[in-house]
Amino acid sequence: MQTLTKNLPKCQQCPVRASALFGHLNTEMLDVVRALRTHQLVLEVGEHLYHQGDSPSKAYTVYEGWVVLYKNTHDGERQIIRFALAGEFLGYKLGNNTVYDHSAQALSDVKLCSFPISEIINEAGKHTALLLAIQSMNDTTMERCHSSITSIANKTAEQKVAYLFLTLYAREQEVRATEDNCIPFYLTQEDIGDALGLTSIHVNRVVQGLRRKGLLSCKNRCLSLHKIEELIEVAKMDRFEAQQFNLI
Amino acid sequence: MQTLTKNLPKCQQCPVRASALFGHLNTEMLDVVRALRTHQLVLEVGEHLYHQGDSPSKAYTVYEGWVVLYKNTHDGERQIIRFALAGEFLGYKLGNNTVYDHSAQALSDVKLCSFPISEIINEAGKHTALLLAIQSMNDTTMERCHSSITSIANKTAEQKVAYLFLTLYAREQEVRATEDNCIPFYLTQEDIGDALGLTSIHVNRVVQGLRRKGLLSCKNRCLSLHKIEELIEVAKMDRFEAQQFNLI
DNA sequence: CGCACGTTTGATTGCAGTCAAGCTTTGTGG
DNA sequence: CCACAAAGCTTGACTGCAATCAAACGTGCG
């Protein structure tokens, strides 16, 4: 893990700002936030940002790359809780005697902006706008969690996989609109399985099925969705949710 | 839904205070909170507190009874997100153009304390202690959500059911310690199925299995766990989590 | 080149869903 | 207070989706 403290990029020109935590803060508030950002972190693929059981002291926004959050399970496997993409907020948890219930690991090379939690709290007390921004980010994460539960508990393997692809695709498109409807994709089939409660073998069969139907292609760490509408149908994603993700 | 505005119980003598959102606030802060609580609500079994799609304006703490939070699924069923027991906080979500992603319904007769969200925000800006209390409640809910995902995705039906029973039992014990290790239990087997992604028929078989092993009994809306240690083993609940729930 | 990691294929197994029907409890109205 | 309906629980037979086991194939990297 490498730490950068000099020549940090300006928040106002931040490429992920629009979709990031602090997206809808005004210029003045942005200065407050920037003052909190003490440094940037660089992680290589596979490196951990924190481990389950660590005491939290910093929160982070992903500047570039993908981070996976996971819990260790009873049988020595891992359950992936969520994927944090560019612009997203993670690690925010109050620290007195509490510890992280999950680990955070880099899925690609990752760059993060780092904020001391105690100072965030401090500033949030002074600026309602910041408080609202954080709470609103929290709400989004919570809703994603709810959708995750719903998906994992009630859908077939094909529906789950299609759903996951659609949501990752939509979230990635939001930060970096690509003309060729292709996004960088850092997950192995094992990762997908660990996120959805499936074996990588079954994920493989399902992904092949989706490919054969011409709905998507996925090679060279790059995912293309060819028929969004049909995928939404396959995933049994409801219209409201599809709209929230800007898919229709 | 009935609204009470007079002779509201004092927060300082609140039976659920210790485990409630505002449990670790000092007396002074408690007065601030009480001032926010404009009224109490009374719901009968089956009544809704709010529906998926409603705009949030109030947050609530459960004063007595059980509330179920659920999402409608693509196939017309429902996925239960969580159960809110006495002392818990729900409905807290920022309101500008956003709507609830789930519904809240009374599982028993329920009494709630009601707080305008905008005023909570206001006061949280003035009192860091309140901000921390809310954030800490948020963290707990989030962690429960993570555990839910892990349980639903990776456990067998028997493990999931045992796990759910243990957690509900522990949470209920926390507010009202019962000498006869028996808690009021408001769930049907259908509810359990909807929470865990199982059919009620399969839940039935599993519950019978646990009964036959002498691990628990459940009749007359009353649940007793006879062998906690063994249930923890069956549920594959890890020691750390069991400790968090005060089960060991 | 060879190893490690990820993907692919096939055969078999088993957990939980589905369908169908009977039983028990609860609660409501005559 | 009884009758009957509705809701919830229980049982059995059968089915199917996804796990498991086993092994081969690609591919990128040291």
Side-chain angles (χ1 to χ4, degrees):
Chain A
M1 174 155 29
Q2 198 190 332
T3 305
L4 309 177
T5 51
K6 294 182 176 169
N7 300 322
L8 300 183
K10 306 217 155 125
C11 290
Q12 286 194 37
Q13 294 139 26
C14 176
V16 301
R17 181 188 156 201
S19 62
L21 164 67
F22 307 118
H24 42 288
L25 295 179
N26 61 25
T27 310
E28 181 199 350
M29 279 310 302
L30 219 53
D31 284 339
V32 172
V33 168
R34 186 174 45 184
L36 294 180
R37 185 201 50 186
T38 49
H39 51 277
Q40 279 198 327
L41 291 179
V42 179
L43 297 186
E44 287 176 25
V45 195
E47 267 191 292
H48 276 82
L49 180 60
Y50 53 79
H51 287 88
Q52 191 168 337
D54 288 354
S55 296
S57 66
K58 305 263 175 62
Y60 312 89
T61 57
V62 180
Y63 187 77
E64 58 183 51
W66 286 18
V67 176
V68 59
L69 312 193
Y70 68 91
K71 268 174 89 84
N72 301 317
T73 63
H74 63 92
D75 53 359
E77 301 290 299
R78 61 178 184 160
Q79 173 61 42
I80 291 177
I81 299 296
R82 68 175 175 117
F83 299 105
L85 276 52
E88 296 184 31
F89 196 46
L90 70 156
Y92 183 61
K93 180 170 163 55
L94 298 187
N96 292 335
N97 308 319
T98 60
V99 295
Y100 284 124
D101 68 326
H102 64 270
S103 306
Q105 186 181 21
L107 280 172
S108 63
D109 291 341
V110 168
K111 196 178 286 184
L112 303 129
C113 296
S114 165
F115 306 87
I117 292 175
S118 55
E119 313 228 350
I120 295 181
I121 300 281
N122 249 338
E123 292 300 321
K126 292 187 219 155
H127 308 277
T128 306
L130 181 55
L131 202 165
L132 294 177
I134 292 173
Q135 183 57 43
S136 138
M137 203 70 178
N138 237 326
D139 288 349
T140 302
T141 306
M142 203 67 209
E143 287 192 8
R144 295 233 175 104
C145 227
H146 292 173
S147 296
S148 229
I149 289 177
T150 306
S151 179
I152 291 171
N154 294 302
K155 293 187 176 185
T156 65
E158 188 182 47
Q159 290 164 2
K160 294 186 212 188
V161 170
Y163 183 86
L164 178 64
F165 279 152
L166 279 169
T167 54
L168 289 172
Y169 182 82
R171 288 159 60 192
E172 186 70 27
Q173 285 278 29
E174 208 161 301
V175 261
R176 56 159 91 205
T178 54
E179 53 307 317
D180 57 346
N181 62 355
C182 170
I183 61 161
F185 192 77
Y186 303 106
L187 308 187
T188 65
Q189 294 182 350
E190 180 109 31
D191 292 330
I192 297 172
D194 286 347
L196 302 177
L198 301 169
T199 58
S200 63
I201 294 171
H202 197 61
V203 168
N204 181 272
R205 291 189 235 269
V206 169
V207 171
Q208 280 180 62
L210 295 173
R211 262 202 294 257
R212 249 182 272 112
K213 290 184 202 165
L215 299 180
L216 56 82
S217 52
C218 179
K219 55 168 59 177
N220 302 330
R221 322 224 107 210
C222 176
L223 170 71
S224 298
L225 302 189
H226 302 313
K227 301 176 180 174
I228 306 262
E229 279 286 350
E230 287 184 42
L231 272 168
I232 291 175
E233 180 52 36
V234 169
K236 301 291 179 201
M237 181 185 274
D238 68 42
R239 309 302 289 176
F240 181 72
E241 212 170 355
Q243 276 164 17
Q244 280 191 317
F245 278 111
N246 269 319
L247 283 166
I248 53 175
Chain B
M1 176 155 29
Q2 198 189 334
T3 305
L4 309 177
T5 52
K6 294 182 178 172
N7 300 321
L8 300 183
K10 305 215 155 126
C11 290
Q12 286 194 36
Q13 294 139 25
C14 176
V16 299
R17 181 187 156 201
S19 63
L21 164 67
F22 306 119
H24 42 289
L25 294 180
N26 61 25
T27 311
E28 180 199 351
M29 279 310 301
L30 219 53
D31 284 338
V32 172
V33 168
R34 187 175 45 183
L36 293 180
R37 184 201 52 186
T38 48
H39 52 278
Q40 279 198 327
L41 291 179
V42 179
L43 297 187
E44 286 174 27
V45 195
E47 267 191 291
H48 276 82
L49 181 60
Y50 53 79
H51 287 88
Q52 192 167 337
D54 288 354
S55 296
S57 67
K58 305 263 175 62
Y60 312 89
T61 56
V62 180
Y63 186 78
E64 58 182 52
W66 287 18
V67 175
V68 58
L69 312 193
Y70 69 90
K71 268 175 89 86
N72 301 317
T73 62
H74 63 92
D75 53 0
E77 301 291 299
R78 60 177 185 162
Q79 173 61 41
I80 290 177
I81 300 295
R82 68 175 175 118
F83 299 104
L85 276 52
E88 294 186 32
F89 196 47
L90 71 155
Y92 183 60
K93 180 171 164 54
L94 298 187
N96 291 334
N97 307 320
T98 60
V99 295
Y100 284 122
D101 68 327
H102 64 270
S103 305
Q105 185 181 21
L107 280 172
S108 63
D109 290 342
V110 168
K111 196 178 284 182
L112 303 129
C113 296
S114 165
F115 306 87
I117 292 175
S118 55
E119 312 227 350
I120 294 181
I121 300 279
N122 248 339
E123 293 301 320
K126 292 186 217 155
H127 308 277
T128 306
L130 182 57
L131 202 164
L132 294 177
I134 291 172
Q135 184 57 43
S136 140
M137 202 71 180
N138 237 327
D139 288 348
T140 303
T141 306
M142 203 67 208
E143 288 193 9
R144 295 232 174 104
C145 227
H146 291 172
S147 296
S148 230
I149 289 177
T150 306
S151 178
I152 291 171
N154 294 300
K155 294 187 177 184
T156 64
E158 189 183 48
Q159 290 164 1
K160 293 187 212 187
V161 170
Y163 182 86
L164 178 65
F165 279 152
L166 279 169
T167 53
L168 289 173
Y169 183 81
R171 288 160 60 194
E172 185 70 27
Q173 285 277 29
E174 209 161 300
V175 261
R176 57 157 91 202
T178 54
E179 53 308 319
D180 57 345
N181 62 357
C182 171
I183 61 160
F185 193 76
Y186 302 107
L187 308 186
T188 65
Q189 295 182 349
E190 179 109 31
D191 292 330
I192 297 172
D194 287 347
L196 302 177
L198 301 168
T199 58
S200 63
I201 294 172
H202 198 61
V203 168
N204 181 271
R205 290 190 240 268
V206 169
V207 171
Q208 281 181 63
L210 295 173
R211 262 202 295 256
R212 249 182 271 112
K213 291 183 202 165
L215 300 180
L216 56 82
S217 53
C218 180
K219 57 168 58 177
N220 301 331
R221 323 223 108 210
C222 177
L223 170 72
S224 298
L225 303 189
H226 302 312
K227 301 176 179 173
I228 306 263
E229 279 288 349
E230 286 185 43
L231 272 169
I232 290 176
E233 180 52 37
V234 169
K236 302 290 179 202
M237 181 186 274
D238 67 43
R239 308 301 290 177
F240 181 73
E241 212 171 355
Q243 276 163 17
Q244 280 191 318
F245 278 111
N246 270 319
L247 283 166
I248 53 176

